[in-house]
Structure formats: C-alpha cells, structure tokens
Amino acid sequence: MQSYTIGQAARLLGVSPDTARRWADAGRVATHRDEGGRRLIDGKALAAFSVEIAQGGTGEEEVSYTSARNAFPGIVTAIKLGDIAAQVEIQAGPHRLVSLLTREAVEELGLEVGMQATARVKSTSVHIDRT
C-alpha cells in the first residue's frame, strides 16, 4: 500500500503542511516513520481521513481550493467494480468527484483505495489519470 509524506498528504487534502502536521500530532490521522525517519501516512488511512474532514469540516478556517485546467489531484476513496462498469471516487481537498468508467480502465490503471490520482473534468465527463 502506498504511503504519503506529511507534505504530500497536505497537498491532497488541500491544506498547508503545518495543518497536516498538527492533525497528525493531535492523533487525528496515524503516522509511522520510514527508514529515513520521515513521517508517513498510510494511503487507506489518508483516504478515510479525507472523507471524514470533507463531511465534518476541519474545525479550522475554510481553505479555498481551485483547480488548474480542470485537474483535481486527490486520493482514491472508493471503488465499486461491476462486471463491465466501475465507479471511482476521489477526494480532492474539499471536493468529492465520482467517475463512471469501464472496469477494464480501472484495472489497467491499477487503481486502489488510498492511492493518489487526478480527476480531469471536461464538461460532464470526469476522466481519471494515475499519478
């Protein structure tokens, strides 16, 4: 499973690294250390936490989050696979995006809950890029 540094997690959550660090220090999201001593957050834990703060707020001032060229970098929070179609949810800061795509596309991209991905939006279609 992919893990994220405090800085990467902050970017995915749409907050400053200091805010992400304070949340980790307060025990709101669990961290562990790598061989180099860096604090890391497990991808599944970060996915769950991103949904939690999006639904309940952060308890701090609201952070403005905008996309550049309709790209929403975030973390995969849910995948529902059917026989042919699939539904992928991404939490990008305060934004929850849902894309319907083929099961084959999800498998080719190797998408899993907790991994980083970017939702690209054009009109009413949402496309997922693995990052």
Side-chain angles (χ1 to χ4, degrees):
M1 173 49 54
Q2 186 168 353
S3 293
Y4 298 91
T5 64
I6 295 289
Q8 290 170 324
R11 186 173 51 80
L12 293 170
L13 296 171
V15 298
S16 72
D18 286 338
T19 297
R21 196 171 295 108
R22 281 194 303 275
W23 287 342
D25 290 344
R28 291 190 62 190
V29 62
T31 63
H32 62 279
R33 298 215 181 248
D34 67 5
E35 305 81 34
R38 295 183 308 165
R39 288 172 45 176
L40 300 175
I41 301 170
D42 176 71
K44 286 187 180 180
L46 183 59
F49 182 66
S50 70
V51 171
E52 175 189 326
I53 64 170
Q55 291 174 346
T58 62
E60 299 178 8
E61 286 185 32
E62 291 299 315
V63 176
S64 176
Y65 187 85
T66 62
S67 69
R69 300 182 188 170
N70 299 322
F72 294 82
I75 188 166
V76 177
T77 57
I79 297 174
K80 296 177 186 169
L81 292 175
D83 290 337
I84 297 176
Q87 177 179 311
V88 176
E89 294 183 25
I90 291 181
Q91 192 70 42
H95 308 289
R96 176 181 166 261
L97 296 111
V98 179
S99 179
L100 299 176
L101 57 162
T102 65
R103 178 186 182 115
E104 181 181 10
V106 171
E107 291 169 349
E108 284 179 6
L109 290 169
L111 294 176
E112 295 179 6
V113 170
M115 77 180 334
Q116 186 175 349
T118 300
R120 297 195 187 275
V121 181
K122 180 176 182 188
S123 186
T124 59
S125 297
V126 177
H127 304 269
I128 305 296
D129 297 339
R130 182 173 173 182
T131 50

